[in-house]
């Protein structure tokens, strides 16, 4: 009897190891899809992931946690895709191309419908719906009175006045930057996969400059950090701020910290600036 029980335990542990490994691999794929905004693929894989974990021999308390983590990655993919659709639709609206605008808005509506399955954040869902309605009422001739009022009321809608913004910007976790040989750390006010906005203007910087930077999650830059080069995209004298950009988002500091698991963008606060 003891021999039989021991054999069953060995088989259970082997199955648990195999299923845990596959679940981690699927979760890694979902995380990659989230960064790349592959919403429809993430939704399909998330359904498969939830079904697989649900039928696995993982402990019930572990199942709940890892299923929620999978949903968060799928949600991030949809959140990024919605932002992409709405910026594209707004661009078509201002160009007067109603056919393309309507087509993209239809995709945004479908993406929002899928997003409702991934989050119970009613405030977020309502905010996205307001953004869709705003774009729907915008044309090349200008915005409707209702749309203009929406702009005044909505921080999110205001962000669309900056048509160059193609990536979600985050306000947390806090990030700090050191420029060149300058020992002074500067706090980042918000950031995206392709750039950072710095609180303060380091002396001697001008738009177009290429400069060495070090980026970290602590003000003393004592922990593991990113080092590389960036371009000074803009110097904002009125805000006492500097915007810096990276030539390739995959080689930038944010993706570096995402890969190193120092940052979970699912938990990051979206900037309202």
């Amino acid at each position: 009897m003891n021999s039989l029980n021991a054999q069953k335990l060995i088989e259970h542990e082997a199955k648990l190891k195999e299923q845990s490994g596959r679940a981690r691999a699927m979760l890694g794929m979902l995380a990659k899809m989230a960064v790349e905004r592959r919403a429809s693929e993430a939704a399909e894989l998330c359904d498969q992931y939830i079904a697989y974990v649900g039928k696995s021999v993982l402990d019930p308390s572990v199942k709940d946690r890892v299923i929620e983590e999978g949903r968060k990655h799928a949600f991030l993919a949809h959140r990024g895709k919605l932002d992409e659709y709405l910026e594209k639709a707004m661009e078509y609206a201002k160009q007067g191309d109603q056919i393309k605008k309507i087509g993209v808005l239809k995709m945004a509506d479908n993406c929002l419908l899928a997003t409702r399955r991934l989050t119970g954040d009613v405030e977020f869902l309502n905010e996205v719906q307001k953004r869709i309605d705003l774009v729907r009422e915008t044309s090349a001739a200008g915005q409707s009175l209702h749309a203009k009022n929406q702009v005044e009321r909505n921080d999110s809608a205001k962000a669309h006045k900056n048509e160059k913004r193609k990536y979600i910007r985050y306000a947390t976790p806090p990030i700090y930057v050191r420029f060149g040989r300058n020992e002074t750390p500067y706090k980042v006010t918000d950031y995206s996969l392709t750039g950072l906005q710095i609180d303060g203007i380091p002396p001697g910087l001008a738009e177009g400059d290429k400069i060495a930077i070090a980026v970290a999650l602590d003000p003393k830059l004592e922990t593991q950090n990113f080092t590389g080069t960036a371009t000074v995209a803009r110097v904002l004298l009125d805000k006492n701020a500097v915007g810096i950009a990276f030539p390739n988002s995959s080689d930038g500091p944010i993706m570096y910290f995402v890969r190193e698991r120092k940052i979970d963008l699912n938990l990051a606060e979206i900037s309202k600036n």
Side-chain angles (χ1 to χ4, degrees), residues 134 150-162:
L134 171 69
Q150 286 282 59
V151 171
E152 293 300 319
R153 291 194 300 268
N154 275 306
D155 288 335
S156 179
K158 286 179 182 178
H160 280 273
K161 291 195 289 186
N162 181 358

Side-chain angles (χ1 to χ4, degrees), residues 35-36 167 192-195 210 213 226-231 244-256 259:
V35 173
E36 296 173 354
Y167 291 87
S192 72
L193 295 180
T194 59
K210 299 280 194 299
I213 61 168
F226 167 91
T227 57
T229 58
T231 301
I244 62 175
F246 316 107
N248 189 331
S249 64
S250 63
D251 296 329
I254 306 309
M255 276 304 303
Y256 167 80
R259 286 193 298 267

Side-chain angles (χ1 to χ4, degrees), residues 24-265:
R24 285 195 300 271
M26 295 173 77
L27 195 60
M29 291 174 64
L30 281 169
K32 187 174 186 294
M33 289 176 180
V35 173
E36 296 173 354
R37 303 183 179 187
R38 291 154 58 188
S40 59
E41 293 176 72
E44 183 178 351
L45 180 58
C46 187
D47 286 342
Q48 296 172 9
Y49 174 75
I50 291 172
Y52 180 78
V53 172
K55 294 178 181 178
S56 72
V57 297
L58 295 174
D59 184 88
S61 62
V62 174
K63 286 183 182 182
D64 291 341
R65 178 174 57 79
V66 297
I67 284 175
E68 182 59 27
E69 191 172 352
R71 280 202 180 98
K72 284 181 179 179
H73 285 308
F75 169 67
L76 180 60
H78 283 71
R79 189 172 72 177
K81 200 66 178 179
L82 282 166
D83 196 62
E84 180 181 310
Y85 283 148
L86 289 170
E87 289 188 355
K88 188 176 294 185
M90 179 63 84
E91 183 178 347
Y92 287 142
K94 291 183 177 181
Q95 290 174 357
D97 195 331
Q98 293 298 302
I99 294 177
K100 287 184 178 179
K101 184 190 84 170
I102 291 170
V104 175
L105 284 178
K106 184 176 180 179
M107 291 188 285
D109 284 330
N110 291 336
C111 189
L112 179 58
L113 183 62
T115 307
R116 294 182 187 278
R117 297 174 51 214
L118 300 168
T119 181
D121 188 341
V122 176
E123 184 178 352
F124 168 80
L125 296 170
N126 289 342
E127 189 65 35
V128 173
Q129 186 62 61
K130 289 176 184 178
R131 291 171 63 187
I132 290 175
D133 293 340
L134 171 69
V135 178
R136 187 168 280 122
E137 296 185 36
T138 301
S139 67
Q143 297 169 323
S144 69
L145 177 61
H146 174 69
K148 287 180 179 178
N149 290 335
Q150 286 282 59
V151 171
E152 293 300 319
R153 291 194 300 268
N154 275 306
D155 288 335
S156 179
K158 286 179 182 178
H160 280 273
K161 291 195 289 186
N162 181 358
E163 293 182 36
K164 294 182 180 179
R165 179 166 293 182
K166 295 182 178 180
Y167 291 87
I168 297 173
R169 301 188 72 85
Y170 302 96
T172 64
I175 291 176
Y176 302 86
V177 176
R178 190 175 290 159
F179 292 86
R181 298 180 180 179
N182 190 335
E183 293 298 318
T184 303
Y186 290 83
K187 186 175 181 181
V188 175
T189 54
D190 63 33
Y191 55 89
S192 72
L193 295 180
T194 59
L196 312 172
Q197 182 164 303
I198 313 300
D199 182 17
I201 303 176
L205 288 193
E207 292 187 7
D209 284 352
K210 299 280 194 299
I211 189 165
I213 61 168
V215 186
L217 301 180
D218 70 282
K220 295 183 179 180
L221 278 77
E222 293 178 343
T223 58
Q224 184 179 15
N225 56 54
F226 167 91
T227 57
T229 58
T231 301
V232 179
R234 55 192 177 278
V235 177
L236 306 170
L237 296 176
D238 57 329
K239 295 183 178 181
N240 190 36
V242 171
I244 62 175
F246 316 107
N248 189 331
S249 64
S250 63
D251 296 329
I254 306 309
M255 276 304 303
Y256 167 80
F257 287 123
V258 168
R259 286 193 298 267
E260 294 293 322
R261 299 299 180 93
K262 305 292 184 182
I263 289 180
D264 183 352
L265 294 180

